[in-house]
Amino acid sequence: MPRTMKIAEPPLPSDPSQEDRAQAIRDSLRDAIVDRRLAPGTKLSEAEVGTLFDVSRTVVRAALQMLAFEGLVRVERNRGAFVSDPTPEEALQVFASRRLIEPGVIAAAIERATAKDIAAFRRHLEEETRHKHERGAQARRAEIKASGDFHLMLAAVAGNAILQKFMDELVARSSLVIALYGRSGASSCGHNDHADLLDAVEARDVARAQALMLRHIDHIEADLDLRASSSLTLRDALSL
Amino acid sequence: MPRTMKIAEPPLPSDPSQEDRAQAIRDSLRDAIVDRRLAPGTKLSEAEVGTLFDVSRTVVRAALQMLAFEGLVRVERNRGAFVSDPTPEEALQVFASRRLIEPGVIAAAIERATAKDIAAFRRHLEEETRHKHERGAQARRAEIKASGDFHLMLAAVAGNAILQKFMDELVARSSLVIALYGRSGASSCGHNDHADLLDAVEARDVARAQALMLRHIDHIEADLDLRASSSLTLRDALSL
DNA sequence: GGCGGCAATATTGAGTGCAAAACAATTGGG
DNA sequence: CCCAATTGTTTTGCACTCAATATTGCCGCC
């Protein structure tokens, strides 16, 4: 065995942009889905996506498979991939999961948050409220995205990569659910939940933060109309 | 719109075994990893696995990608797939996540468990203890598998598909962690935690069940030796 | 006239080949 | 004698291709 193992050169990622096109496509599609630019149910043809990103179907397949694992697309054998449209039951499960996990996440975040983190949260919150006061579909999308990002920031600060991955999935799925079943379209209509949450985090008041988090999730869920959506009722009616 | 929509024939899955070989390979590999027949760090060459299952690399790649999403294998670009060997930090995160999620799971399970479910649990428990009293590596593997399955059964009864998926991942990762850092090798050495848990479930005592669950996870974690493993320190030392 | 079957089309599933990257061994230089 | 560079080998990344399956449009028949 060699005694010294000097690495002549840092092998140097030949090109940072070359770091996996499948992942780039996944991120792009994911943003589009979470931003609701791709409606639930939309078919994602391999060839179409492939020409769009100028890659072969092989790479597209990998990206779609990833999204399927996150529950954002549904792949049906020999039929293709579709932006998933969660059933009301799945919607309930998404929020039940969030109720279970997010109180723990915020507790961990409170334990680990630095002053710098708090400052970052404050900055994020400002941007969030800024979007809220703007008009237009574009600003609305940005607001929804920012709203989800707040929860993802909490998960990041909590410092548990596994929980962070779970939260990634749950927040993304929430976006889909809100897209399908949301009444007002905005999850935080009228409420200032995030600001209150941040106050509790800054005060390191775990119990209060957890209670606020649960209420916040209640608020989001209360904005949903989980009676079977129009398209679903249509389908169900036809298939019966 | 057609008045009658008779379905001439149940389209009949041309062959149930044909229902996705990638998934079959994934399950097979997953069992092998969870059962510790594949040691952490083992390289899973696409060609090798392909010849082993008699499929092309394409299918193997899909299976490996799935396992990567569950955190059971780690794929390094241009280097291949390896059975992942979690760091001590990841190990801690796995158990932190379980502590967060499983009390909720068992609460939901208690709410939904039928008499039939309880009976299934009892049957499972018998088998578990049977394995425990047997000797040999084979029985030991079966015991560990059954121990994880108990938690998965709880998640199934809880009736939340998303949480169930999370638990799938967490239990699988726990097996890896125990394989790497376990002292006694068996997670439930000396304790009868599962039996106690089941009693609490049958009594519908949520608080008690949750407390027992947390203690159970403590027991599992207490059996770990999370000081850096030998192989890892060696590798780290060499690469520095 | 509408329903059922049939053929044409499109799309996915999967195997193979080629290029590039990483790994291993060997040889030349200090 | 040991280190470093180079070459040869192996393995992955990705595109192309063919086969299999679902979908769509069409025609005959009841």
Side-chain angles (χ1 to χ4, degrees):
Chain A
M1 187 185 300
R3 217 176 330 172
T4 68
M5 217 168 165
K6 192 171 65 172
I7 290 158
E9 302 247 24
L12 189 57
S14 47
D15 185 5
S17 69
Q18 175 67 13
E19 67 160 270
D20 217 356
R21 293 174 286 173
Q23 200 144 332
I25 293 173
R26 178 197 67 151
D27 291 342
S28 196
L29 285 178
R30 177 142 83 136
D31 274 4
I33 293 173
V34 171
D35 268 10
R36 307 207 216 166
R37 297 195 303 273
L38 283 170
T42 306
K43 166 145 197 185
L44 300 172
S45 151
E46 296 181 358
E48 198 179 332
V49 178
T51 52
L52 220 64
F53 286 91
D54 197 49
V55 295
S56 88
R57 281 174 44 215
T58 308
V59 182
V60 177
R61 273 178 92 85
L64 291 176
Q65 206 184 355
M66 292 193 233
L67 289 168
F69 269 101
E70 300 179 64
L72 291 188
V73 315
R74 164 178 45 90
V75 295
E76 297 180 19
R77 184 175 176 88
N78 284 322
R79 287 194 17 90
F82 305 83
V83 179
S84 69
D85 41 357
T87 64
E89 173 154 2
E90 286 174 298
L92 287 175
Q93 293 182 355
V94 168
F95 285 103
S97 304
R98 290 187 64 165
R99 275 207 194 79
L100 182 53
I101 291 176
E102 293 214 62
V105 166
I106 206 169
I110 286 177
E111 187 151 336
R112 298 176 41 111
T114 66
K116 228 171 135 186
D117 291 328
I118 304 277
F121 276 117
R122 287 265 172 244
R123 278 197 302 281
H124 182 87
L125 218 83
E126 275 174 34
E127 197 166 331
E128 236 184 291
T129 50
R130 190 164 57 71
H131 286 307
K132 201 185 286 189
H133 295 148
E134 284 175 14
R135 283 263 157 252
Q138 183 61 33
R140 200 50 158 281
R141 281 207 285 260
E143 178 195 350
I144 294 169
K145 180 97 191 300
S147 176
D149 284 345
F150 181 84
H151 292 262
L152 295 182
M153 284 176 75
L154 275 175
V157 170
N160 184 322
I162 298 171
L163 286 180
Q164 195 176 346
K165 199 190 79 170
F166 289 170
M167 281 304 303
D168 268 6
E169 179 174 335
L170 288 174
V171 168
R173 290 177 101 130
S174 296
S175 287
L176 265 180
V177 167
I178 294 170
L180 268 176
Y181 301 110
R183 262 194 293 255
S184 68
S187 51
S188 49
C189 62
H191 297 293
N192 254 42
D193 291 358
H194 288 181
D196 297 340
L197 277 168
L198 182 50
D199 288 341
V201 170
E202 195 166 14
R204 315 261 173 198
D205 186 341
V206 172
R208 175 170 166 71
Q210 292 183 321
L212 284 172
M213 179 61 84
L214 288 177
R215 269 193 31 202
H216 176 47
I217 299 175
D218 285 342
H219 289 157
I220 302 174
E221 207 173 350
D223 185 54
L224 302 179
D225 180 4
L226 288 179
R227 290 167 302 194
S229 82
S230 51
S231 67
L232 274 184
T233 35
L234 177 62
R235 230 176 43 178
D236 284 347
L238 291 177
S239 64
L240 277 183
Chain B
M1 185 184 302
R3 213 168 343 164
T4 68
M5 215 162 166
K6 191 172 62 174
I7 290 159
E9 301 249 24
L12 187 58
S14 46
D15 184 5
S17 68
Q18 174 65 15
E19 68 160 88
D20 218 353
R21 292 174 287 171
Q23 201 143 330
I25 293 173
R26 178 196 67 150
D27 292 342
S28 194
L29 285 178
R30 176 139 82 137
D31 275 4
I33 294 173
V34 171
D35 268 10
R36 307 207 216 165
R37 296 194 304 272
L38 282 170
T42 306
K43 166 144 198 189
L44 300 172
S45 151
E46 296 180 356
E48 197 178 332
V49 178
T51 51
L52 221 66
F53 287 91
D54 196 50
V55 295
S56 84
R57 282 174 43 216
T58 309
V59 181
V60 176
R61 271 179 94 83
L64 291 176
Q65 207 182 355
M66 292 194 233
L67 289 168
F69 270 103
E70 300 178 61
L72 290 188
V73 315
R74 164 178 44 87
V75 294
E76 297 181 19
R77 182 174 178 88
N78 285 322
R79 286 194 16 89
F82 306 82
V83 179
S84 69
D85 41 358
T87 64
E89 172 154 2
E90 286 174 298
L92 288 175
Q93 292 181 356
V94 168
F95 286 102
S97 304
R98 290 187 64 166
R99 262 195 269 273
L100 183 54
I101 291 177
E102 293 214 62
V105 168
I106 205 170
I110 287 177
E111 187 151 336
R112 298 177 42 112
T114 66
K116 226 170 135 187
D117 292 327
I118 303 277
F121 276 117
R122 288 262 173 245
R123 278 197 302 278
H124 182 85
L125 219 82
E126 275 174 35
E127 197 165 332
E128 238 184 289
T129 49
R130 190 163 57 74
H131 286 307
K132 201 185 288 190
H133 295 150
E134 284 175 16
R135 283 261 156 254
Q138 184 61 33
R140 202 50 159 279
R141 280 207 287 262
E143 178 196 350
I144 294 170
K145 180 96 192 301
S147 175
D149 283 346
F150 181 85
H151 293 260
L152 294 182
M153 283 176 75
L154 275 175
V157 171
N160 184 323
I162 298 172
L163 285 181
Q164 195 176 346
K165 198 189 78 170
F166 289 169
M167 281 304 303
D168 269 7
E169 179 174 337
L170 288 174
V171 167
R173 290 176 100 130
S174 296
S175 288
L176 265 180
V177 167
I178 294 170
L180 267 177
Y181 302 110
R183 262 194 292 254
S184 69
S187 50
S188 48
C189 60
H191 296 293
N192 255 39
D193 291 359
H194 287 180
D196 297 341
L197 277 168
L198 182 50
D199 288 341
V201 170
E202 195 165 14
R204 315 259 173 201
D205 186 340
V206 173
R208 175 170 165 72
Q210 291 184 322
L212 284 173
M213 178 62 83
L214 288 177
R215 268 194 31 203
H216 176 47
I217 299 176
D218 284 342
H219 288 158
I220 302 174
E221 207 174 351
D223 185 55
L224 302 179
D225 179 6
L226 288 179
R227 290 168 301 196
S229 85
S230 51
S231 66
L232 274 184
T233 36
L234 177 61
R235 229 175 43 175
D236 285 348
L238 290 177
S239 64
L240 276 183

